[in-house]
Every structure is written in C-alpha cells, then in structure tokens.
C-alpha cells in the first residue's frame, strides 16, 4: 500500500485498526482479526498497538474463541498498564476483559471487572465540566455506553 511504501507505519497501523472496526461491524470477524494482527506486528506507537490489542479479544469472542479472547484480553491489559496515561481503547479493553471472563465462566470476576470498568468511565466523565459533553461521553461513545449498560444488568 502507499502507506507501507512511504514508510508511514503509524498511519498504516491506524488504517488497519479502522479496517478491523469496519469488518467487525459487517460481521467479518476473521478479516477483522487479520487486520488487527497485522496492525500489532509493526512497532508503531504504543497507544496504537494497545488499541489494536484492545479490539482483538472482542473479535475472538465473536468467533466463539473464549479462551483465546481471555488470553488476548490479559495481554492487552498488560500493554495498557505500561502506558503512561489513559488512551483510546481503555474502555474497550476493560469491557473486553469482563466479557472474556464471563465467556469462560468466571462470572464473579466478570462482575467485578464490569464494576471497575464502570467506575473508570464515571471517574473520567466526572472531569468533564460541560454537561452536554459529559452526557455525550457517557451515551455516545459506544464502549462507554455499553459498559454502563452491561454494569446495570
């Protein structure tokens, strides 16, 4: 591709992550997995690698590969823990961790993970002074809305 030829590995990684998101929305989970694994191969920025790793467990869960999803979520959590700050994908990985735990039968641990994910989202939202922006952060960001909905159940 043009990105690969020009040496813009970061942009190539971003493009692959976005391609994976599109493929996931279309139900092409195998294609999404391939795009994410390609994105994770390159030494682009740590936050981008972390975000790609955060999406992988969900793709594996969608394919019924719960044990692999749990291992991938554990790896993604390790990558996120090494970052200096909260980055794109934080809510995604927290939710994927909880869902992978539930899919492998660890229901109590999943409940605890969901509660912790909910608290993380609410703590971040509390820092937003503008009520409309805070509402948008909680309701319009898919991973945040999904985390809150799952935690309510």
């Amino acid at each position: 591709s043009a990105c690969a030829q020009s040496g813009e590995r970061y942009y190539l990684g971003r493009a692959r992550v976005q391609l994976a998101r599109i493929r996931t929305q279309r139900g092409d989970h195998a294609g999404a997995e391939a795009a994410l694994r390609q994105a994770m191969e390159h030494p682009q920025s740590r936050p981008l690698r972390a975000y790609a790793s955060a999406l992988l467990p969900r793709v594996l869960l969608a394919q019924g590969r719960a044990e692999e999803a749990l291992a991938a979520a554990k790896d993604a959590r390790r990558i996120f823990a090494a970052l200096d700050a909260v980055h794109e994908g934080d809510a995604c990985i927290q939710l994927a961790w909880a869902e992978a735990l539930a899919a492998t039968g660890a229901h109590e641990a999943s409940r605890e993970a969901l509660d912790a994910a909910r608290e993380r989202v609410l703590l971040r939202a509390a820092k937003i002074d503008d009520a409309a922006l805070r509402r948008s952060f909680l309701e319009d960001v898919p991973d945040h809305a999904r985390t809150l909905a799952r935690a309510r159940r």
Side-chain angles (χ1 to χ4, degrees):
S1 77
C3 286
Q5 292 171 358
S6 69
E8 296 291 341
R9 289 181 176 256
Y10 173 81
Y11 295 108
L12 179 59
R14 277 300 287 179
R16 285 184 171 145
V17 168
Q18 291 309 315
L19 176 62
R21 291 178 62 102
I22 292 166
R23 286 181 171 170
T24 298
Q25 290 171 349
R26 292 184 174 175
D28 177 10
H29 303 296
E33 178 184 357
L36 290 171
R37 291 195 187 276
Q38 286 177 334
M40 293 168 62
E41 287 176 3
H42 300 292
Q44 64 262 1
S45 76
R46 290 186 318 159
L48 181 58
R49 179 172 167 69
Y51 187 44
S53 73
L55 295 171
L56 183 60
R58 284 192 171 160
V59 170
L60 295 171
L61 281 173
Q63 295 177 70
R65 296 160 55 191
E67 292 296 331
E68 289 177 72
L70 185 62
K74 185 176 183 178
D75 188 50
R77 291 184 62 174
R78 181 189 51 75
I79 292 168
F80 266 86
L83 298 176
D84 300 333
V86 175
H87 289 278
E88 182 179 19
D90 178 66
C92 177
I93 188 50
Q94 301 307 321
L95 185 55
W97 174 246
E99 290 173 341
L101 287 167
T104 57
H107 299 291
E108 184 60 33
S110 175
R111 178 81 241 154
E112 291 171 8
L114 271 173
D115 289 343
R118 177 185 172 275
E119 288 306 310
R120 286 173 74 111
V121 169
L122 293 176
L123 283 172
R124 289 179 64 201
K127 296 176 183 177
I128 302 171
D129 293 328
D130 182 285
L133 287 176
R134 186 173 47 254
R135 182 208 56 78
S136 178
F137 179 84
L138 293 171
E139 297 174 11
D140 298 337
V141 175
D143 289 324
H144 300 166
R146 190 169 167 192
T147 296
L148 298 176
R150 293 284 312 255
R152 280 192 294 270
R153 285 191 230 144

